[in-house]
Amino acid sequence: MSLVRTGLERLVAKPTLLAGSSRIGLITNPTGVLPDLTPGPAALLAAGLPLTALFSPEHGLRGTAQAGFGESGGPNGADDPGGFDPATGLPVFDAYLKEGPALDALVASARVDTLLFDIADVGTRFYTYVWTMYDLMESAARLGLRFAVLDRPNPLGGTIAEGPLLDPGHASFVGRAPIPVRHGLTAGELAGYVNRDLGADLHVVELEGWRRHDGTDGLPWVMPSVNMPTPDTALVYPGTALFEGTNLSEGRGTTKPFELVGAPWLDERFAGCLNAMDLPGVRFRDTWFTPAFHKHAGTPVRGVQVHVTDPEVFRPVLTGAAMLHLAHRLAPERFTWQGAEEITSGASHFVDLLWGSADLRRSVEAGGAAGDLCPPPAHPRGWAGDGTLLYA
């Protein structure tokens, strides 16, 4: 039995922790559950909380949508933000990719006085749930509403930060604030950190019993999104998800997303050189896979499976950066970057938004070809290292 009590558990046990709210809008998805897997909306209603609306992030309230999509469930199609949750009868508002006046109008139409956030994060800056939280905190501040966070553990723990801080010039929906790639914060802690600039009426129902070196041990793992099936996925994600910004497969369309990385033109040198780098806490298995959808769908792909041998010393961001450097060096004529035109007009490469600057891409491009020797692990310019979290 877990000794950790989530914010949802604490609020259900003591509804007065949110006293003063008369109409609550809950921002949630399938991860918002009690340890016995009771869904959060049902638990809050049973506890007598005045829940009157539900808001959904990327992937939707039910978690059925693929990356880059929400679940617009209204009866009038995608332009209708409404629809109703069949389990509770509450109206559902799709908040994904809405911001500014459009988001304010959506929130105002729900007629709530409190927005309540309860979604499990995975501890990586470019995972979008915390930025839905950020945008709704901004909206709450503009509309004069209370904003509350039901805190949950960071599955990567809370002692290590890895990767560079976001350059504000590369802010987007995959990173709004200057935090590292692997940020080491819970959603409640992140809300408190960014609220210094947002000025929302913020209340955090904190975790009890969570130690910073713990992940989510003892709590049930509910898939945060359709391509995040296990805690192993979350562990490698801060590094291998950088391949989303390239024409290599990051394993979407397989049963091991983000643990498998490859391309049709790679060969056995990819695994061999990665293992020769002796990166901490990880080994690489040469493998073939055929994605069922997404990049290289239906095409056999050569690459590696990432096997974490020691989670305590494994550094996913360093590992992902080294893998990118090597993939480019082995086949610079085949390796390409994905555009970012659909995400923001301020950047031309999606990897720059993921990394938080152009430094990683420029470092990879300057690396040249592999030649006869495997390259050493590369720390791109702008790398912040890793160590104890330091948030002023």
Side-chain angles (χ1 to χ4, degrees):
M1 181 177 179
S2 174
L3 299 178
V4 176
R5 297 184 74 214
T6 64
L8 176 62
E9 282 184 88
R10 294 188 60 219
L11 181 59
V12 167
K14 189 177 181 181
T16 54
L17 289 172
L18 209 56
S21 297
S22 60
R23 293 181 61 86
I24 298 173
L26 176 65
I27 308 144
T28 195
N29 71 359
T31 65
V33 295
L34 291 173
D36 67 359
L37 300 178
T38 300
L44 292 169
L45 287 169
L49 274 296
L51 192 61
T52 60
L54 301 174
F55 290 82
S56 61
E58 184 178 10
H59 306 291
L61 181 70
R62 299 179 297 274
T64 63
Q66 276 292 338
F69 295 92
E71 286 174 342
S72 293
N76 298 316
D79 293 331
D80 181 358
F84 293 86
D85 171 36
T88 61
L90 295 175
V92 180
F93 299 86
D94 181 6
Y96 179 51
L97 288 182
K98 295 180 178 66
E99 56 183 300
L103 185 58
D104 291 353
L106 182 75
V107 173
S109 70
R111 297 176 26 247
V112 297
D113 58 33
T114 300
L115 289 173
L116 179 62
F117 181 88
D118 185 31
I119 297 178
D121 185 39
V122 299
T124 301
R125 185 181 66 218
F126 38 74
Y127 205 61
T128 65
Y129 295 152
V130 293
W131 306 121
T132 288
M133 178 183 76
Y134 180 101
D135 289 347
L136 284 163
M137 284 177 64
E138 271 195 318
S139 186
R142 289 190 295 262
L143 296 173
L145 307 179
R146 171 193 277 187
F147 195 96
V149 178
L150 302 182
D151 216 1
R152 291 183 174 273
N154 183 327
L156 304 185
T159 62
I160 298 294
E162 220 190 333
L165 298 178
L166 175 89
D167 175 352
H170 285 76
S172 73
F173 194 60
V174 290
R176 297 285 199 214
I179 60 174
V181 173
R182 176 185 178 181
H183 55 71
L185 300 175
T186 67
E189 291 170 337
L190 179 57
Y193 180 69
V194 301
N195 197 46
R196 299 180 303 177
D197 296 323
L198 301 182
D201 178 13
L202 176 65
H203 301 257
V204 177
V205 182
E206 298 177 348
L207 289 163
E208 284 186 349
W210 187 64
R211 299 169 299 179
R212 299 205 69 80
H213 62 273
D214 291 339
T216 55
D217 291 347
L219 293 174
W221 178 264
V222 177
M223 291 196 307
S225 57
V226 291
N227 290 297
M228 193 66 62
T230 70
D232 291 339
T233 322
L235 182 57
V236 301
Y237 178 78
T240 54
L242 294 168
F243 280 92
E244 291 185 338
T246 76
N247 62 340
L248 280 77
S249 170
E250 66 274 11
R252 291 184 188 274
T254 76
T255 59
K256 291 287 185 182
F258 304 108
E259 295 179 65
L260 295 172
V261 174
W265 57 85
L266 288 175
D267 56 38
E268 71 280 356
R269 292 176 299 166
F270 193 42
C273 284
L274 285 171
N275 284 321
M277 290 181 189
D278 199 25
L279 293 160
V282 64
R283 295 290 290 174
F284 301 88
R285 182 177 65 85
D286 181 34
T287 189
W288 289 85
F289 59 94
T290 302
F293 59 87
H294 205 56
K295 299 175 195 169
H296 309 298
T299 301
V301 166
R302 184 76 174 270
V304 297
Q305 182 174 352
V306 182
H307 291 266
V308 177
T309 58
D310 187 343
E312 295 296 323
V313 302
F314 175 59
R315 296 293 177 262
V317 182
L318 169 63
T319 300
M323 292 173 71
L324 275 171
H325 275 81
L326 178 60
H328 182 270
R329 288 169 68 102
L330 290 175
E333 74 288 350
R334 302 294 300 274
F335 183 108
T336 61
W337 302 105
Q338 302 284 77
E341 293 81 2
E342 298 82 7
I343 306 296
T344 176
S345 59
S348 59
H349 297 90
F350 188 45
V351 73
D352 295 356
L353 301 181
L354 296 173
W355 189 253
S357 76
D359 290 337
L360 175 63
R361 176 174 54 84
R362 290 169 179 163
S363 177
V364 169
E365 290 171 347
D372 296 327
L373 298 175
C374 299
H379 289 279
R381 189 170 67 85
W383 173 264
D386 64 75
T388 303
L389 292 172
L390 295 173
Y391 286 91

